[in-house]
Amino acid sequence: MKIAIDGPAGAGKSTLARRIAERLGILYVDTGAMYRALTWKALANKVNLKDKAELRNLAVRTDITLAYNMGQVRVFCDGTEVTDEIRSPEVSRWVPVVAADEEIRAIMVEKQQAIAREQSVVMDGRDIGLCVLPDADYKFYLTASLEERARRRAKELVKKGYKVNFQEVKEEIRERDKLDTERLVGPLTVLPDSIVIDTSDMSPDEVVSRVLSLIGEDGNVIQVS
Ligand code: CDP
Ligand code: CDP
């Protein structure tokens, strides 16, 4: 079973993916965490993010591991846990710049495909249906209004102890969506076979129920609308 979940920031992808994985007993792969971990390392090492050669050199020398523990994903970069650090506003700001590089994307896609070759997975990201799992059994495109997505992200940052300015969070998301959508390699896009779900007015529970009703626990499509 391969399930692809793509969509812009704050649409509810990881919340859905984690719960679907738990429900179906398959692996959840947070591909955004991989790009975030590399960005975190580049910032920590003061790498010039606009210098492609330097960045690519760093990417091939970096070991990123995702570990799964009671439904939570822990992220390790060269053996150091960076689960919390990779969610910082600074990493969020720079990650689309790192993720726009085609060689870095090739390295990440290769790693993600290797994981999916071994087992059933639900993966969330931007290019999962397009590049990583083009033959996925189901491709979902989650979205929500910019206002609602910014509200969700701001609430999360406050909970983590960051001082937030709502307009700044909204602008950061708008800018990141633009870079993710307009890049030449692996852009975020609705595919002809994507099932689009607008989660603006839906609770996480409602989104999970909708997806489960669309795929059925045995993986047969019951209804696609
Ligand atoms: O959680 P959120 O939606 O804010 O972002 P994420 O899934 O953690 O992804 C962070 C960033 O990584 C995205 O804005 C993209 O720039 C990049 N990314 C990507 O290019 N391709 C993926 N498959 C996943 C993430
Ligand atoms: O992965 P992505 O950036 O698409 O979104 P997320 O991290 O799953 O969700 C961002 C926040 O919105 C989380 O705190 C979720 O609990 C919340 N959320 C929500 O309020 N309603 C939904 N339908 C889905 C997520």
Side-chain angles (χ1 to χ4, degrees):
M1 167 80 96
K2 313 273 180 227
I3 301 176
I5 303 178
D6 291 303
K13 302 179 300 295
S14 58
T15 306
L16 171 69
R18 195 177 297 120
R19 302 219 359 219
I20 290 293
E22 220 170 86
R23 184 69 182 253
L24 301 183
I26 63 177
L27 183 70
Y28 164 45
V29 184
D30 178 351
T31 66
M34 298 169 70
Y35 290 96
R36 283 177 179 274
L38 179 61
T39 305
W40 171 84
K41 182 172 171 185
L43 290 169
N45 285 274
K46 306 212 179 318
V47 166
N48 176 1
L49 298 184
K50 303 225 164 107
D51 183 334
K52 288 185 178 213
E54 220 183 310
L55 205 52
R56 290 169 178 176
N57 190 17
L58 187 81
V60 293
R61 288 185 287 111
T62 302
D63 174 42
I64 297 165
T65 318
L66 305 181
Y68 303 87
N69 187 9
M70 316 252 286
Q72 295 302 317
V73 182
R74 295 174 66 196
V75 185
F76 295 83
C77 187
D78 301 323
T80 302
E81 180 161 11
V82 293
T83 309
D84 293 331
E85 289 82 347
I86 63 168
R87 307 284 160 198
S88 73
E90 201 195 4
V91 170
S92 295
R93 170 156 180 245
W94 287 104
V95 62
V97 174
V98 172
D101 182 72
E102 67 177 298
E103 283 190 24
I104 288 187
R105 298 203 70 79
I107 294 170
M108 296 295 187
V109 169
E110 164 65 36
K111 285 186 187 182
Q112 294 152 8
Q113 288 178 334
I115 299 171
R117 226 171 277 135
E118 306 287 320
Q119 59 221 298
S120 290
V121 291
V122 46
M123 280 196 183
D124 79 328
R126 302 294 185 288
D127 63 336
I128 309 303
L130 181 67
C131 303
V132 183
L133 304 174
D135 298 326
D137 299 285
Y138 305 100
K139 295 181 184 176
F140 292 98
Y141 184 94
L142 250 57
T143 188
S145 68
L146 175 64
E147 197 75 14
E148 173 59 19
R149 293 187 288 112
R151 233 189 324 264
R152 292 174 183 173
R153 194 43 44 92
K155 203 167 150 188
E156 272 182 345
L157 288 169
V158 168
K159 235 193 219 168
K160 287 181 186 156
Y162 289 103
K163 258 200 185 154
V164 299
N165 172 313
F166 180 72
Q167 286 310 324
E168 276 175 23
V169 174
K170 197 165 144 185
E171 277 319 304
E172 179 269 306
I173 287 185
R174 194 205 301 274
E175 181 60 22
R176 187 144 60 92
D177 289 349
K178 184 169 151 50
L179 294 171
D180 287 342
T181 311
E182 292 179 354
R183 69 173 167 239
L184 297 175
V185 190
L188 171 64
T189 181
V190 178
L191 301 165
D193 50 350
S194 298
I195 300 170
V196 179
I197 301 178
D198 186 330
T199 71
S200 302
D201 299 316
M202 294 171 81
S203 69
D205 280 351
E206 286 172 327
V207 182
V208 171
S209 303
R210 167 83 65 88
V211 166
L212 286 175
S213 82
L214 288 167
I215 67 180
E217 289 218 32
D218 59 0
N220 294 321
V221 174
I222 294 168
Q223 165 219 346
V224 175
S225 57

